[in-house]
Amino acid sequence: MEIVITGSAREAAIIAADAFERLLWGADRAVIGLATGSSPLPTYHELIERHGNGRVSFARTRMFLLDEYVGLDPEHPQLLRSFIEREFIDQVDVPANALVVPQCAPADLATAAETYERRIANAGGIDLQLLGIGRNGHIGFNEPPSSLVSRTRLKTLTTATREDNARFFGNDPDMVPHHGITQGIGTILEARHVVLIATGEAKSEPIAKAVEGPVTAMMPASALQLHPHTTVIVDEAAGQQLRHADYYREIYRNKPVWQHF
Ligand code: GLP
């Protein structure tokens, strides 16, 4: 696990976008896992800008969404699909139908998880999975406790997560769905490169526990310690509880140029 402590959310976004750019230049048909929430937004903005400058193209990519709410109207603006289309997909050259999301309509629910896993596998697996982290250490909607080998499935959202996400629902937690379909932790761990972004003081505790604490189903992001290629990018505020911060800075300062990510 590589820990990168940056001076700002903007700098974190630039480093994450660099990982995308390297993948897009190197892979013929990159498969990308997208996360929603506030943390990845600066990265999407940076990628939109680089696309505008002709630096990156998503024309030959496939995109898989990390998770989706269950129980919202198909036209609801806060469906995570709508969010990612609005904030990113519609502003770059991702081909029509290249975005795959879990199917959450009542008629699809029984088979949605299995279908989603199959579609990821048929695409050849995910090359780069972008992640945020919840206050309670969740990744996607893998709330604690989440089996560390879990696959895509339905999860019940915790009250804390529904309160945090209420800001997207007119600040009313009662409007936030109780359920979501999420890639499982085992699914996420199969991505070839995982990039987790966390900014702001509220993320300092889950980041310290996920990076330096025990691997446990009660802190789902700690499962990334088992992944061979994870990059955790934090700003100073989110990194402030890391006990070995000086060492992580030293590693990054002295990183061989050929090592990239
Ligand atoms: C949500 C999403 C996660 C996201 C997390 C943190 O519940 N399902 O994918 O990482 O919240 O969001 P934010 O980055 O807005 O703090």
Side-chain angles (χ1 to χ4, degrees), residues 35-40 66-67 132-134 138 140-141 161 165 167 203:
T36 54
S38 309
S39 312
L66 181 62
D67 47 14
I133 185 171
H138 74 225
F141 279 139
T161 296
N165 291 357
R167 66 190 195 280
K203 300 296 170 66

Side-chain angles (χ1 to χ4, degrees), residues 116-130:
Y116 202 59
E117 287 279 338
R118 201 171 43 244
R119 294 192 74 178
I120 293 174
N122 288 347
I126 292 176
D127 292 307
L128 193 165
Q129 176 65 56
L130 193 59

Side-chain angles (χ1 to χ4, degrees), residues 54-132:
R55 260 172 86 174
V56 291
S57 167
F58 299 90
R60 289 172 67 77
T61 59
R62 227 39 219 294
M63 305 272 177
F64 285 86
L65 197 56
L66 181 62
D67 47 14
E68 182 56 286
Y69 286 120
V70 170
L72 293 181
D73 184 89
E75 303 306 319
H76 198 290
Q78 293 310 331
L79 270 175
L80 298 180
R81 170 190 206 122
S82 311
F83 179 98
I84 203 69
E85 286 176 344
R86 203 167 49 236
E87 299 291 343
F88 180 52
I89 299 280
D90 291 350
Q91 301 188 56
V92 292
D93 59 345
V94 175
N97 303 323
L99 173 67
V100 187
V101 299
Q103 294 307 305
C104 292
D108 299 322
L109 272 185
T111 53
E114 203 183 306
T115 306
Y116 202 59
E117 287 279 338
R118 201 171 43 244
R119 294 192 74 178
I120 293 174
N122 288 347
I126 292 176
D127 292 307
L128 193 165
Q129 176 65 56
L130 193 59
L131 293 180

